[in-house]
Amino acid sequence: IDNDPMLKENLRKVAIEDYAFAKKRFDSIGFNDLSSIGGGGDHAAMASNSQYSANISFAASLLYKLTSDKFYADEAAKAIQYTLQCQRTEPLNDKDKLHGFFYRDLNKRSIAHYTHQSRDQVYMQALITLCETQPNHPDHKKWEASIKMYGDYLKTIMQYDAPYGLVPSGVYNVDEVKDSVNFYKI
């Protein structure tokens, strides 16, 4: 791309236009009707609200890196607030005192799980990119704390699939099936 300035500028323009289109749509419908993305039945429709917000933040941070336009920095910091509200910060009443994982939405009834769709990285991509692009932001320490908490959570749950060295798809709440809206989106 560096050898082709016209292509580089065109891709920059497309990224800005795509974000503007998605933002306009999200600003009008929010999390409602995400099932219509990609014609319905699409894997994107099963993304949780917390993951969706992390994706918005990540995309905005990348556009901030690309353009240096503070608008995108502000968008990234704003979008991650929802995601951070979905993180379990208080330890569970289990032997490991687990915390640091993310719930699907603010009702905190269903935990975000990672099956074959492999969406588990988006929370950390968003938070790390925020930390890299906005080291002087007032929420920087909050973002770092969230990253550390999630890392500790992953290190703790890895013991349950030893000796394989894999990260399990997450912890489950026995009552998640009662959250039928989210349960069937997993």
Side-chain angles (χ1 to χ4, degrees), residues 49 91 96 101 113 131 137 147 183:
N49 294 1
D96 295 317
F101 56 85
H113 303 289
C131 287
H137 192 281
I147 292 167
F183 184 76

Side-chain angles (χ1 to χ4, degrees), residues 47-58:
S48 68
N49 294 1
S50 61
Q51 292 166 317
Y52 202 85
S53 293
N55 274 307
I56 294 169
S57 178
F58 184 46

Side-chain angles (χ1 to χ4, degrees), residues 164-175:
Y164 302 105
L166 301 172
V167 177
S169 69
V171 294
Y172 290 80
N173 179 336
V174 71
D175 293 326

